[in-house]
Amino acid sequence: MPISPDQAQEIADARSQQNTTMRATVPGMEAHLYTAHEVLDHGFIRVIDYMGDDSAICQAARVSYGKGTKSVQNDEGLIRYLMRHWHSTPFEMCEIKLHVKLPVFVARQWIRHRTANVNEYSARYSILDREFYIPAPEHINAQSVVNNQGRGKILEGEEAARVLEILKADSTRAYDNYEAMISDDGQDGLARELARMNLPANIYTQWYWKVDLHNLFHFLRLRADSHAQYEIRVYADAICKVVADWVPAAYSAFEDYRLGGAQLSGKAVDCVRRMLKGEEVTQETSGMSKGEWREFMGVIG
């Protein structure tokens, strides 16, 4: 279970409180507040707080007061213009704070995005729970033969069963030893800050993660991409659904220009122009490396 009955009650209590405010609120985000959206086998994301909405982006772009223009269509057009031309600062006016429960190895990928405020659960102070990420059988893959940092075909049969058994056994044994080392039953017990070094990277941790919309979009562009590792991509996908309810116009532009769009190099644009003129262009005549050409062909089909 991603959340315990006690945690579920805490969430229900938090959602039962009502506060009045003069600042902008978004019905879609109010529905998300505090609710745990399950991810992987024990993980979740929760919206703890947010600031701003689509109109805040437009207000910042115009440096105006109130709601700016009265036309929603004009606001959507401005947001699309800002996204299309990479004008990022207006998107920085919106912020979101998330509570995330995730495996440590996913957290180590996630923390590479250094443009956020993070406060993580302390294993020096507290004892970590006996919760580990164990992949579902359909997510046990061999190493990719074309991508050194990716997955290949799904492992099947005895090999898949052997891998899953090793993951479960090693996780259990490591945690058993962790508990034995910190125990003060008949011994002094090892300090928690030292005992944690023996825990596996698939154990779950938690943090609060606060980020502005511009940097969140950058995170989502990389981590919601089909080439991202599955275990972090499912978190990004869950956040995408929340952001779509928070800033629908901005998310629509992001989805169109970033997630669904492609950036072409000068050489690639030149190749497209030559192709449109009827010229047959190959990797050898394109001026691109084999890797660049493969990615280019993936874009244009």
Side-chain angles (χ1 to χ4, degrees):
M1 279 289 293
I3 60 172
S4 67
D6 288 344
Q7 290 170 327
Q9 185 58 53
E10 288 179 12
I11 292 171
D13 292 343
R15 287 184 56 81
S16 68
Q17 299 177 15
Q18 297 292 323
N19 299 291
T20 59
T21 178
M22 293 180 66
R23 68 180 179 87
T25 59
V26 181
M29 279 295 270
E30 294 295 306
H32 285 296
L33 269 177
Y34 310 124
T35 300
H37 299 284
E38 298 181 7
V39 186
L40 298 179
D41 48 0
H42 299 292
F44 60 71
I45 65 161
R46 292 200 304 142
V47 179
I48 300 302
D49 201 0
Y50 70 98
M51 181 183 76
D53 56 6
D54 279 327
S55 65
I57 299 167
C58 299
Q59 182 187 62
R62 299 186 179 103
V63 197
S64 64
Y65 56 88
K67 293 186 177 179
T69 62
K70 296 181 180 180
S71 170
V72 173
Q73 185 176 2
N74 285 348
D75 280 358
E76 290 179 352
L78 174 58
I79 287 172
R80 290 183 65 82
Y81 175 88
L82 295 171
M83 184 69 70
R84 189 164 64 248
H85 292 279
W86 297 85
H87 294 304
S88 60
T89 51
F91 297 98
E92 294 174 4
M93 300 300 122
C94 296
E95 290 195 341
I96 187 172
K97 180 164 67 175
L98 297 171
H99 176 197
V100 186
K101 183 178 179 183
L102 68 173
V104 166
F105 74 93
V106 176
R108 298 293 79 82
Q109 277 191 316
W110 195 311
I111 205 67
R112 295 289 296 166
H113 298 266
R114 299 185 295 275
T115 49
N117 304 113
V118 185
N119 200 59
E120 187 174 0
Y121 185 93
S122 174
R124 296 183 68 193
Y125 179 78
S126 302
I127 298 173
L128 290 170
D129 293 328
R130 185 189 285 266
E131 291 181 321
F132 312 97
Y133 168 63
I134 303 297
E138 62 268 25
H139 298 300
I140 299 289
N141 301 70
Q143 175 63 41
S144 170
V145 296
V146 296
N147 183 354
N148 289 332
Q149 62 177 13
R151 294 171 172 169
K153 65 179 182 179
I154 296 175
L155 296 181
E156 297 178 346
E158 292 183 2
E159 185 175 11
R162 178 178 63 85
V163 168
L164 283 172
E165 182 55 37
I166 290 173
L167 289 173
K168 294 174 183 177
D170 284 355
S171 299
T172 299
R173 181 170 59 251
Y175 196 88
D176 287 344
N177 289 332
Y178 169 69
E179 284 189 319
M181 287 188 289
I182 64 176
S183 172
D184 57 5
D185 184 13
Q187 61 181 14
D188 290 334
L190 184 66
R192 293 168 186 171
E193 68 177 20
L194 290 172
R196 63 180 174 170
M197 75 174 77
N198 198 49
L199 291 169
N202 66 331
I203 197 166
Y204 274 84
T205 185
Q206 300 182 43
W207 63 29
Y208 272 28
W209 191 69
K210 182 171 72 71
V211 65
D212 66 62
L213 185 58
H214 163 61
N215 286 297
L216 177 58
F217 277 153
H218 179 67
F219 171 85
L220 295 175
R221 181 175 67 86
L222 295 175
R223 302 306 184 179
D225 185 87
S226 60
H227 299 94
Q229 182 172 345
Y230 167 77
E231 283 77 14
I232 196 169
R233 190 171 73 243
V234 289
Y235 281 92
D237 289 343
I239 295 172
C240 280
K241 295 176 182 177
V242 169
V243 177
D245 289 336
W246 172 28
V247 282
Y251 183 78
S252 177
F254 164 74
E255 195 172 36
D256 195 12
Y257 291 115
R258 300 290 185 269
L259 284 183
Q263 186 173 350
L264 297 179
S265 67
K267 290 180 181 178
V269 171
D270 179 63
C271 287
V272 170
R273 288 171 176 162
R274 289 161 59 189
M275 290 174 175
L276 289 174
K277 292 178 180 178
E279 181 180 343
E280 182 179 351
V281 182
T282 64
Q283 185 263 313
E284 290 75 15
T285 62
S286 68
M288 302 184 205
S289 67
K290 290 182 179 179
E292 288 176 305
W293 179 255
R294 182 173 62 249
E295 292 169 6
F296 171 64
M297 294 305 293
V299 170
I300 68 170

